[in-house]
Structure formats: structure tokens, C-alpha cells
Amino acid sequence: MTDNDYSFGTRNEPPVGQDNRADYRLTARARAILELESGLPEETGAEERGLVCGIRDISASGLCLTADEPLSLGALLPASVFLGNHAQPFGLMVEVVWCRPNESSFLVGARIIESDETAYVEWVEAVASAMAQD
């Protein structure tokens, strides 16, 4: 993706008390693929299932996603996040902290889990860089 369209906040801010993030948010045209199911390593041809989600906004610590199906609260899911002009997706681990219907889809709040086995540090640096450009 080459789109680098960032701005602070969103047009439709959630009502007061529903957004618990302490970080500034950026709106971004981006997408994420959540790994909902993965096959066992020893099974060849094991089926994986990913859910492609739009991203409504991002922060260093979380994402607001649009999904075609509801996600379970507390679910820990591997995610590949495709953002701006970054050639490679960010491999992150996210926790679903809220999910609610929104027109014909669902809005999902996902907290990014800090882990040595993910691109967490690179993600934080990319968000900081995007904020500096605004």
C-alpha cells in the first residue's frame, strides 16, 4: 500500500467513557488480517482461517477495526497489519477488548500486546513517525 493518509481523531468519536486509550489516535487507510484459526504444524495441508479487517484508527497501543463478523472478548490473535508505505506488514499480537455492531459489520477494539516475538517496537516507531508527519 502506498496510501499515507493520517490525521488525528476520527469523524465519529465514540461517546465519552467508551474509549479508554491514553494515546492519540490516527485515522489511516490500512488493513489487518487476523489469524482466527491455524492448523497444527505437524498436519500438512492444515487449514488456516484469516479475517481481513479494515482499520478505522490506530495508536501505539491499539487498533479500531471493522470486521465482517463478531470477535470474542479477550481473544488473543496474531495479526498482520498493512500500513501506509511500509513494504512489509507488521506482525503483531492483539487482544480483543470490545466488539459492537456497526451497520452491516462490527467495530472491534484491539489492544496491541507487547512481545519480543512480534514487530511491536517497529510498530510504535511507525506510529510515532506518522504522528510527526501530521
Side-chain angles (χ1 to χ4, degrees):
M1 298 179 75
T2 59
D3 192 21
N4 200 10
D5 182 20
Y6 303 107
S7 61
F8 282 100
T10 61
R11 284 186 287 249
N12 301 312
E13 294 291 331
V16 175
Q18 286 189 358
D19 190 352
N20 295 324
R21 282 183 285 174
D23 299 331
Y24 285 109
R25 292 172 304 200
L26 299 169
T27 57
R29 290 189 190 145
R31 67 185 169 97
I33 301 175
L34 302 178
E35 187 178 314
L36 300 182
E37 296 173 13
S38 62
L40 297 173
E42 64 271 5
E43 293 180 14
T44 57
E47 194 168 319
E48 293 184 5
R49 187 165 89 87
L51 177 65
V52 178
C53 301
I55 296 179
R56 183 175 173 199
D57 64 56
I58 65 171
S59 71
S61 62
L63 306 163
C64 180
L65 306 170
T66 57
D68 290 336
E69 61 186 79
L71 297 173
S72 300
L73 298 182
L76 294 174
L77 304 169
S80 296
V81 180
F82 299 83
L83 181 63
N85 57 4
H86 295 273
Q88 297 295 318
F90 294 90
L92 302 170
M93 181 64 68
V94 299
E95 176 186 11
V96 176
V97 293
W98 57 265
C99 181
R100 64 177 179 255
N102 181 50
E103 298 173 0
S104 62
S105 63
F106 295 86
L107 287 178
V108 178
R111 180 172 62 94
I112 297 171
I113 305 297
E114 186 175 352
S115 170
D116 290 339
E117 289 136 22
T118 66
Y120 177 79
V121 171
E122 293 84 354
W123 171 259
V124 172
E125 290 171 353
V127 172
S129 174
M131 285 185 181
Q133 292 176 16
D134 198 31

